[in-house]
């Protein structure tokens, strides 16, 4: 059984107590740090004062990054599959001749 940790993360001037698996701590702390940095960037760049608006913008930014990575991965997989098929066809043609 894995060890549970109780941690507190601060996001947008609010503290969130969490009980997590020990192996999740680093990822959660980095995520909170990235959210804080993005909040600061949005507040400076767009003069947004409402935390809910800033958090919605952060959520959209992170979600779009995840979606784009998924799209990019699918495109790479398709490209690799095409290359492997071409290589297989080339090998088959040499084996037959």
């Amino acid at each position: 059984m894995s060890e549970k940790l109780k941690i507190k993360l601060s996001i947008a001037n609010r503290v969130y107590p969490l009980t997590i698996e020990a192996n999740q701590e680093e990822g959660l702390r980095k995520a909170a740090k990235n959210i804080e940095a993005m909040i600061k960037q949005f507040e400076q760049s767009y003069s947004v004062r409402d935390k809910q608006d800033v958090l919605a913008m952060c959520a959209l930014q992170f979600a779009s990054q995840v979606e784009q990575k998924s799209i990019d991965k699918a495109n790479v997989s398709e490209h690799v599959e095409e290359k492997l098929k071409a290589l297989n066809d080339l090998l088959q043609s040499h084996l037959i001749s």
Side-chain angles (χ1 to χ4, degrees):
M1 185 167 191
S2 54
E3 179 185 349
K4 297 282 188 176
L5 293 178
K6 291 183 185 246
I7 65 170
K8 293 181 182 178
L9 296 178
S10 178
I11 300 173
N13 298 325
R14 286 193 177 184
V15 176
Y16 296 92
L18 300 170
T19 301
I20 61 165
E21 301 290 332
N23 61 357
Q24 295 177 306
E25 183 179 15
E26 182 180 4
L28 285 166
R29 291 198 185 278
K30 284 183 177 181
K33 185 177 179 179
N34 289 339
I35 292 168
E36 283 296 317
M38 192 175 287
I39 287 170
K40 186 176 180 179
Q41 179 185 2
F42 280 135
E43 286 177 336
Q44 290 173 348
S45 298
Y46 300 108
S47 299
V48 180
R49 295 288 173 235
D50 185 352
K51 289 289 186 194
Q52 185 170 345
D53 289 341
V54 174
L55 288 170
M57 292 167 69
C58 288
L60 179 60
Q61 183 77 17
F62 283 118
S64 69
Q65 289 171 1
V66 168
E67 291 302 323
Q68 190 60 51
K69 284 181 182 177
S70 177
I71 291 167
D72 293 346
K73 183 178 179 183
N75 289 340
V76 166
S77 293
E78 184 178 320
H79 181 70
V80 167
E81 189 175 321
E82 289 170 3
K83 292 290 186 183
L84 286 173
K85 184 181 181 322
L87 180 60
N88 188 49
D89 291 345
L90 182 62
L91 288 170
Q92 288 296 328
S93 69
H94 283 337
L95 289 175
I96 293 172
S97 29

